[in-house]
Amino acid sequence: MNPRLISLVLFALLILLQYPLWFGKGGLLRVSDLEGRLEQQKQVNESLRLRNQQLEGDVRSLSEGVEAIEERARNDFGMIKKNELFIQLIEPRSEPRAESRTAPTQ
């Protein structure tokens, strides 16, 4: 047999064996993609875990103390107690930009 033909057949077999390793269902490219998606999901899970801890603290403070309920009522609903003085501080407006001061053309 021709040595060149044998080399060509062996090279073709090598390519056929390598294809599933790179592009198959469990191939390196797919594994790399899944590792990236896993890292993203871990970040999402961490942010959700922190949010859950915050919510747990809110629930605990609302169920244990009156101060948290009062604070929530004041901030969310603008409620005040009897004989309590309500003072609201308003930020001063910033100067309007030059183009907004001109009269519209018709």
Side-chain angles (χ1 to χ4, degrees):
M1 244 183 148
N2 187 356
R4 188 158 195 238
L5 180 64
I6 293 174
S7 297
L8 188 61
V9 168
L10 288 175
F11 182 72
L13 284 174
L14 179 67
I15 296 296
L16 286 174
L17 290 173
Q18 287 288 313
Y19 181 82
L21 175 67
W22 291 96
F23 306 107
K25 187 175 182 180
L28 293 176
L29 296 176
R30 174 127 170 95
V31 168
S32 174
D33 178 53
L34 289 174
E35 284 175 346
R37 289 172 52 190
L38 178 64
E39 191 59 38
Q40 288 176 343
Q41 189 62 47
K42 283 181 180 179
Q43 290 173 357
V44 168
N45 289 351
E46 180 63 22
S47 68
L48 291 175
R49 186 184 64 76
L50 291 174
R51 190 191 74 167
N52 285 347
Q53 284 179 343
Q54 252 182 344
L55 291 174
E56 269 182 34
D58 287 348
V59 167
R60 201 173 315 112
S61 67
L62 286 172
S63 64
E64 292 175 359
V66 176
E67 294 98 20
I69 295 171
E70 285 182 4
E71 179 183 347
R72 186 63 62 97
R74 290 173 194 272
N75 291 334
D76 293 350
F77 304 112
M79 299 176 86
I80 58 173
K81 292 181 182 179
K82 274 190 173 180
N83 301 324
E84 186 173 53
L85 179 62
F86 176 70
I87 299 174
Q88 182 177 10
L89 300 176
I90 300 174
E91 295 285 327
R93 282 188 175 189
S94 61
E95 279 295 313
R97 291 190 285 173
E99 65 259 6
S100 67
R101 279 190 246 154
T102 60
T105 58
Q106 292 183 9

